């Protein structure tokens, strides 16, 4: 294991410890204050923490700790700080979270593109243009599906996470716009990466996922086929 891998794995462990300590604080304060909504959302935050590792386990992917770090940090603020500890009551906190969700969703879309096309990068101008459209379409689709979920919570459980009664459609539209801006930010980085071929952290993450999982799997299948 090289030094970079050790450093990223150590960073993930540090982030994980901070997440767990904050979980314990949220649960303890919720329990002693009899704030059962906080207690319940703390349980949800535990489930959120498990999403990425469970997905990697189901598909038998090798861990990419950069993804684990980004995912854990996002869940920390989106679920634990936001839902459990009152973060969403802070002005613009919600918009920053949706902006970050757009960044993260677009990175996931790049990974999905590499899985479907079985390529590390766009191989020609046609694939490059397709990639730019694809990642933004996936990002916006995720943003819309999330708003569908919040609307369903309002309709079926009268939980106004969508802020319908206080803001009408304003909250929904600005949430999706924030996610869109996050996606466009990654798109600009992706364009710069394609034109200059200079590495950068964000685009390196889905490329590292491809090298550790898709490329390795394809090579193994080719070796088995040659036997």
């Amino acid at each position: 294991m090289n030094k970079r891998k050790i450093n990223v794995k150590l960073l993930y462990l540090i982030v994980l410890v901070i997440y767990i300590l904050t979980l314990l604080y949220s649960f303890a304060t919720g329990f002693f204050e009899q704030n059962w909504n906080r207690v319940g959302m703390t349980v949800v935050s535990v489930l959120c923490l498990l999403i990425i590792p469970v997905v990697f386990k189901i598909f038998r992917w090798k861990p990419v700790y950069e993804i684990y770090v980004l995912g854990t940090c996002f869940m920390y603020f989106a679920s634990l700080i936001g839902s459990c500890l009152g973060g969403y009551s802070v002005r613009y906190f919600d918009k920053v979270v949706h902006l970050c969700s757009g960044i993260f969703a677009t990175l996931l879309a790049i990974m999905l593109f590499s899985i479907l096309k079985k390529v590390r990068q766009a191989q020609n101008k046609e694939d490059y243009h397709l990639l730019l459209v694809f990642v933004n379409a996936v990002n916006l689709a995720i943003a819309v599906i999330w708003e569908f979920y919040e609307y369903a919570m309002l309709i079926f459980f009268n939980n106004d996470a969508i802020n319908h009664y206080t803001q009408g459609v304003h909250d929904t539209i600005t949430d999706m716009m924030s996610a869109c801006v996050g996606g466009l930010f990654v798109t600009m980085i992706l364009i710069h990466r394609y034109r200059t071929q200079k590495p950068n952290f964000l685009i390196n993450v889905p490329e590292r996922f491809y090298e550790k999982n898709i490329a390795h799997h394809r090579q193994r299948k080719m070796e088995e086929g040659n036997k």
Side-chain angles (χ1 to χ4, degrees):
M1 185 179 291
N2 60 38
K3 186 176 181 180
R4 184 194 61 78
K5 289 182 179 179
I6 293 173
N7 288 340
V8 175
K9 192 170 184 179
L10 178 60
L11 177 61
Y12 173 61
L13 291 175
I14 293 171
V15 169
L16 192 60
V17 168
I18 294 173
Y19 195 107
I20 292 172
L21 290 176
T22 310
L23 270 175
L24 294 174
Y25 170 80
S26 177
F27 183 85
T29 56
F31 181 80
F32 288 114
E33 294 173 8
Q34 295 186 344
N35 186 338
W36 305 120
N37 179 67
R38 177 179 294 182
V39 172
M41 293 308 300
T42 303
V43 174
V44 172
S45 294
V46 175
L47 299 178
C48 289
L49 179 63
L50 298 175
I51 290 175
I52 291 178
V54 167
V55 169
F56 269 72
K57 193 72 173 179
I58 290 173
F59 289 98
R60 298 181 180 178
W61 291 332
K62 293 182 178 180
V64 179
Y65 287 103
E66 290 89 345
I67 297 175
Y68 281 30
V69 169
L70 290 174
T72 303
C73 288
F74 176 74
M75 294 301 181
Y76 181 82
F77 289 100
S79 180
L80 193 50
I81 298 298
S83 298
C84 300
L85 299 176
Y88 290 118
S89 62
V90 177
R91 192 174 186 183
Y92 300 125
F93 181 90
D94 182 47
K95 306 313 168 192
V96 173
V97 169
H98 280 280
L99 177 72
C100 293
S101 76
I103 294 173
F104 196 66
T106 307
L107 292 177
L108 292 178
I110 297 173
M111 290 168 50
L112 179 59
F113 184 88
S114 70
I115 293 171
L116 295 174
K117 295 285 291 185
K118 293 182 172 56
V119 293
R120 182 173 180 267
Q121 297 178 357
Q123 301 297 300
N124 51 57
K125 188 167 289 188
E126 182 179 305
D127 278 354
Y128 166 65
H129 291 153
L130 177 63
L131 172 62
L132 296 182
V133 174
F134 178 82
V135 296
N136 283 281
V138 171
N139 174 40
L140 290 176
I142 292 173
V144 169
I145 290 171
W146 178 257
E147 297 303 321
F148 285 172
Y149 159 75
E150 289 194 340
Y151 184 67
M153 292 294 290
L154 173 67
I155 296 300
F156 296 109
F157 302 102
N158 200 31
N159 183 340
D160 191 18
I162 203 169
N163 292 321
H164 168 72
Y165 295 122
T166 56
Q167 299 185 35
V169 300
H170 177 75
D171 183 69
T172 299
I173 296 300
T174 52
D175 284 352
M176 291 190 291
M177 288 175 63
S178 298
C180 180
V181 171
L184 292 175
F185 171 72
V186 177
T187 301
M188 294 300 103
I189 296 176
L190 190 60
I191 292 171
H192 182 265
R193 174 73 171 89
Y194 180 81
R195 290 179 175 176
T196 66
Q197 293 300 306
K198 291 181 179 179
N200 62 77
F201 173 75
L202 281 179
I203 305 304
N204 283 349
V205 172
E207 290 181 357
R208 193 162 292 120
F209 169 82
Y210 174 84
E211 293 295 339
K212 290 192 70 172
N213 293 282
I214 311 304
H216 178 77
H217 180 68
R218 290 185 68 190
Q219 183 179 357
R220 187 174 62 183
K221 288 185 69 175
M222 290 175 62
E223 291 173 353
E224 291 174 353
N226 292 331
K227 289 182 180 179

